[in-house]
Amino acid sequence: MELLWDGYIEPLVWIVAKILAIVVPLLVAVAYLTYAERKVIGAIQLRKGPNVVGPFGLLQPLADGLKLFLKETIIPSSANKGVFIIAPMLTFILAIIAWAVIPFDEGMVLADLNVGILYIFAISSLGVYGIVMAGWASNSKYAFLGALRSGAQMVSYEISIGLIIISVLLTTGSLNLSDIVRGQTGGMWEWNFVYHFPMFIIFIVSILAETNRAPFDLPEAEAELVSGYNVDYSAMTFALFFLGEYANMILMSGLCAILFLGGWSAPLPFLEFIPGAIWFILKICFVLFIFLWVRATFPRYRYDQLMRLGWKIFLPLSFAWVMLVATFLVVFDKVPA
Amino acid sequence: MVVQALAFYLFATVAVLSATAVVTVRNPVHSVLLLILTFFNAAGLFVLLGAEFLAMLLVVVYVGAVAVLFLFVVMMLDINFVEMRQGFLNYLPIGVLIAVVLFVELALVGAGWTLTDGAVAVLAQPTPAGLTNVEALGQLIYTDYAYIFQAAGLVLLVAMIGAIVLTLRHREGVRRQKISEQVKRNRADTLEVKKVPVGRGI
């Protein structure tokens, strides 16, 4: 009995508690990211944004969630029911499980995998399935076209993201996310965005495309495709896509903070008394603000321009950068042990 | 260890069942989705073996890239399922023949399998002690087998160039956007200010 408790039940309880400690704040963050998005875009367009439900409109996300929860879930009669239901669940699950390897502070990580960055890359490359399955299962032209666009777009930009990750890994010498952050200690001039500045910019643009956000939100181009792959979804099935998309945005911002902005480390030495988790969250917020800022500023790309940017500009540039970094490290004998 | 065993049986059962379903379900899109499930469970088995790098590569390459292309192609095909079932009996003998040949080959390999001394100890260990997956693989690929690795890369490069050459065709009358030309344009090329006399036009 004691073995059962010590060996199995206690670790299980611990791990469930840790998972809840990550997922619950994440879902709250997703809810308030939608609020922040509306407020920021409102401010940029000289409007007020949501300001009616609760003080400063702070309860607006809860009201929206409740509305989606109470609506009727409609499954189109010609839809492929099993796949139609699984697709939003898959999108949501994938957006959540990637958080298992994100380090919030020194040692504050659910699973300190040796191949953490590959795990994130693998999970984010699965994200395309939720969308493609949704588009196919809806059995509708608009949804299908949206899904195809989205799938092609995500696969294309994954390549440049992969190459950028490789060039960061070359300077760090580890696939472990905590080690990548530890390699950037010593103030903000040691962070990777200084050494890999062009790649930092390309990475931010690529994650915009990878998460299907403006100006690359072609899958949802209202003018051509109504709403893209999720046009036939309603109520909670739609909400799961929505939550998944925003959780993915936060995840990609977190990845950007870890790879380029020093993760949990403080920008200046005298600021180290502030806990690392707070720095990490602030950096995520910074990248998320760029997401919203870009959305309010730039018009949507045309599809051929998007493909040209991904394949003809980002791919050669990031590949050249990998070669450059590798050559530099070998020639100047700076290869990390 | 009980948890590992349970996880193994879970992954193994789902992998075998979904692999069987790949060839038995009627809808080809379901087939591809089940194939993806099979890959995923194989990755899970790799993790249990301690080969986490291979597991992640399996997911990134096969699930994230290859299977996406499968799915794209299969989704866009307009397949008549009734017609597809009709040829089943015609192809049954040759299918059974191939299956029997493969099975006999496998059985022969399995029967003739002997292990050298000390191989059993190595079998249970994915990597030499004290090395991570990535380091162990890197040492093998980039030191012992560097030339073969380069040759494999060349084969892939040739295959890629071949695919591009086969599909590359220049169509007439396609208007492409040349962004560099658009950027290079200046005002003198595009605008001309004319004084238009009243009542006469240009």
Side-chain angles (χ1 to χ4, degrees), chain A residues 8 80 126 129 175 302 308, chain B residues 30 36 63 67-68 134 177 179:
Chain A
Y8 296 105
N80 195 311
L126 290 180
Y129 283 111
L175 293 170
R302 218 171 52 205
R308 174 180 171 274
Chain B
H30 289 171
I36 292 159
V63 183
V68 172
V134 187
Q177 181 181 24
I179 290 186

Side-chain angles (χ1 to χ4, degrees), chain A residues 85-107:
Chain A
I85 299 284
I86 291 172
M89 294 185 344
L90 188 72
T91 308
F92 183 66
I93 292 169
L94 289 175
I96 300 287
I97 60 172
W99 283 88
V101 294
I102 297 281
F104 293 89
D105 200 345
E106 179 72 53

Side-chain angles (χ1 to χ4, degrees), chain A residues 57-222:
Chain A
L58 272 172
L59 298 178
Q60 184 71 43
L62 298 181
D64 287 343
L66 194 67
K67 181 198 76 175
L68 281 170
F69 193 71
L70 291 177
K71 280 195 168 184
E72 183 191 356
T73 304
I74 298 167
I75 299 177
S77 56
S78 61
N80 195 311
K81 286 195 187 56
V83 182
F84 189 82
I85 299 284
I86 291 172
M89 294 185 344
L90 188 72
T91 308
F92 183 66
I93 292 169
L94 289 175
I96 300 287
I97 60 172
W99 283 88
V101 294
I102 297 281
F104 293 89
D105 200 345
E106 179 72 53
M108 214 166 123
V109 49
L110 183 64
D112 203 12
L113 287 190
N114 268 332
V115 289
I117 190 88
L118 273 176
Y119 173 80
I120 292 212
F121 195 61
I123 296 296
S124 75
S125 72
L126 290 180
V128 62
Y129 283 111
I131 288 169
V132 172
M133 279 162 73
W136 177 78
S138 302
N139 214 345
S140 132
K141 286 187 200 68
Y142 293 122
F144 189 59
L145 283 174
L148 286 184
R149 274 188 182 186
S150 181
Q153 175 178 337
M154 288 168 89
V155 171
S156 313
Y157 279 83
E158 222 155 64
I159 300 172
S160 66
I161 289 185
L163 285 169
I164 293 167
I165 290 177
I166 288 176
S167 51
V168 171
L169 293 182
L170 281 173
T171 48
T172 312
S174 170
L175 293 170
N176 186 315
L177 288 171
S178 302
D179 283 346
I180 292 174
V181 174
R182 277 182 213 118
Q184 305 177 53
T185 45
M188 63 187 291
W189 302 117
E190 294 296 320
W191 294 353
N192 276 334
F193 84 96
V194 178
Y195 304 110
H196 295 281
F197 188 71
M199 291 304 109
F200 176 56
I201 304 294
I202 292 184
F203 189 78
I204 287 194
V205 179
S206 297
I207 59 177
L208 287 176
E210 178 78 8
T211 50
N212 293 327
R213 292 288 299 177
F216 306 111
D217 55 347
L218 286 157
E220 293 168 35
E222 306 91 353

Side-chain angles (χ1 to χ4, degrees), chain B residues 114-188:
Chain B
T114 49
L115 289 174
T116 53
D117 303 336
V120 182
V122 180
L123 268 183
Q125 244 179 336
T127 58
L131 278 182
T132 64
N133 269 230
V134 187
E135 284 167 329
L137 258 180
Q139 285 184 359
L140 267 184
I141 293 177
Y142 294 109
T143 51
D144 297 354
Y145 299 106
Y147 293 114
I148 299 175
F149 182 69
Q150 293 287 336
L154 271 181
V155 171
L156 284 178
L157 182 68
V158 170
M160 191 176 83
I161 294 173
I164 293 172
V165 169
L166 283 177
T167 52
L168 184 71
R169 57 177 76 108
H170 294 283
R171 275 182 299 172
E172 294 294 319
V174 178
R175 293 214 260 169
R176 289 186 196 284
Q177 181 181 24
K178 293 194 178 107
I179 290 186
S180 56
E181 279 179 19
Q182 290 179 338
V183 172
K184 265 187 288 180
R185 260 176 14 155
N186 55 25
R187 207 161 80 178

